[in-house]
Amino acid sequence: MIHKALLFVCNILLFSSTLIAQSPVERRNRTVFNRIEYFINTKQPDSVYTLASEEFKRSVDKQGFIDMISNMANYGKISNTEPVTFANNIAGYNVLLGSLKTSIHLGVDSNYKFNYFLVKPDHIQTVRKEEVKSNVNNQNPLDFYVDSIARAYL
C-alpha cells in the first residue's frame, strides 16, 4: 500500500511538472545557453564556437567570434541569469557579466546548435509585475458604477 501511495505521489509530481514546463524548443534553447554560460565562465571560447551551426560558422569569422567571447569572459563570470523573452525561437536572457548588466539573445536549431547569437550592453526591459497604486475618490454613485465596470478589465 505504501508503494502505491508513493508511486501515486510521484506520478502527480511528474504530471504537474509537465503542465508548467517550458516547450521543447525553450528547453533546447536553455540547454545550449547553459553550455555557453559554462564555457564562458571557464574561459573556453573555442568550445562556444563548436556549439554554432554550420550556417552560423560560414557567416561569422571564427577568430573574431572567439575573441569576442574571450573579451566577454574578461569582464567576469556570468551570474544571475534570467530568461526574459522568447519569440520566433529566439530567447532573451538578462545576465550579469561580472558587474556589467548584459542581455544575450540566442536562437537554437533542432540539433542543439545555435544559429543566432547577440550580446547587448543592457538588460531587456521586463513588464512591471506589481500593481499600480491609485488614489481615487468616489464622489457620487456614477463613480462607483464606472469603477465596477473598469474592475472587470483590470
Side-chain angles (χ1 to χ4, degrees), residues 7-152:
L7 184 62
F8 179 71
V9 169
C10 289
N11 283 335
I12 288 189
L13 290 174
L14 288 173
F15 181 71
S16 65
S17 67
T18 59
L19 290 177
I20 60 172
Q22 302 167 329
S23 72
V25 177
E26 288 176 284
R27 282 194 303 268
R28 191 168 39 241
N29 194 299
R30 183 60 186 210
T31 300
V32 174
F33 181 81
N34 287 342
R35 286 180 177 168
I36 291 171
E37 180 181 8
Y38 173 77
F39 289 141
I40 291 173
N41 286 345
T42 57
K43 298 187 178 187
Q44 299 178 38
D46 52 339
S47 297
V48 174
Y49 187 77
T50 62
L51 295 174
S53 68
E54 292 303 318
E55 178 185 342
F56 185 88
K57 289 178 181 178
R58 280 193 302 273
S59 63
V60 175
D61 176 51
K62 179 179 181 176
Q63 193 56 45
F65 184 79
I66 289 173
D67 290 343
M68 181 196 71
I69 298 295
S70 295
N71 289 337
M72 285 177 62
N74 290 335
Y75 283 105
K77 292 189 177 211
I78 292 178
S79 62
N80 294 346
T81 301
E82 178 186 6
V84 181
T85 61
F86 189 82
N88 299 326
N89 294 333
I90 296 174
Y93 299 92
N94 283 341
V95 299
L96 277 179
L97 191 57
S99 61
L100 183 68
K101 288 183 176 182
T102 308
S103 63
I104 298 175
H105 301 261
L106 186 68
V108 176
D109 63 16
S110 60
N111 296 322
Y112 290 85
K113 300 287 187 180
F114 67 86
N115 51 22
Y116 184 85
F117 188 88
L118 176 66
V119 179
K120 289 188 174 182
D122 204 7
H123 273 171
I124 301 167
Q125 295 297 320
T126 57
V127 178
R128 185 172 32 183
K129 295 179 182 175
E130 69 269 0
E131 275 189 38
V132 176
K133 296 179 182 177
S134 65
N135 286 333
V136 177
N137 294 328
N138 294 326
Q139 302 289 329
N140 57 42
L142 180 61
D143 290 340
F144 288 108
Y145 177 72
V146 170
D147 286 350
S148 68
I149 294 172
R151 274 191 219 102

